[in-house]
Amino acid sequence: MNYGQGSDPLATLELRDRGAISVYAQGDDYHEIIKPRLKALARWLVAQAGGDVQAGMKVFVDPPR
């Protein structure tokens, strides 16, 4: 995942009169992006295993704060 916003995030740290927000916190919530991708990966893994995985698959993404 590229969290880049098109500018140098470290340049903001040089501006002592401004606060800096972590680059990953400036974009979309990664929880909403990663979980569907993990579910798709889990479905693919089950299909690759012949669709007969006894334990099944469960995906987890740490809860947003």
Side-chain angles (χ1 to χ4, degrees):
M1 237 178 171
N2 182 355
Y3 292 114
Q5 300 292 317
S7 61
D8 180 9
L10 297 178
T12 304
L13 297 176
E14 301 296 325
L15 304 173
R16 305 304 282 171
D17 62 333
R18 295 186 182 186
I21 299 174
S22 296
V23 175
Y24 77 90
Q26 295 177 26
D28 294 330
D29 184 353
Y30 73 91
H31 298 91
E32 296 171 7
I33 296 169
I34 294 295
K35 192 164 187 177
R37 292 181 183 185
L38 285 174
K39 286 182 178 183
L41 176 61
R43 285 191 297 271
W44 181 83
L45 288 170
V46 169
Q48 294 301 305
D52 187 24
V53 177
Q54 292 178 353
M57 293 278 187
K58 182 94 173 144
V59 300
F60 294 92
V61 179
D62 62 316
R65 296 175 194 236

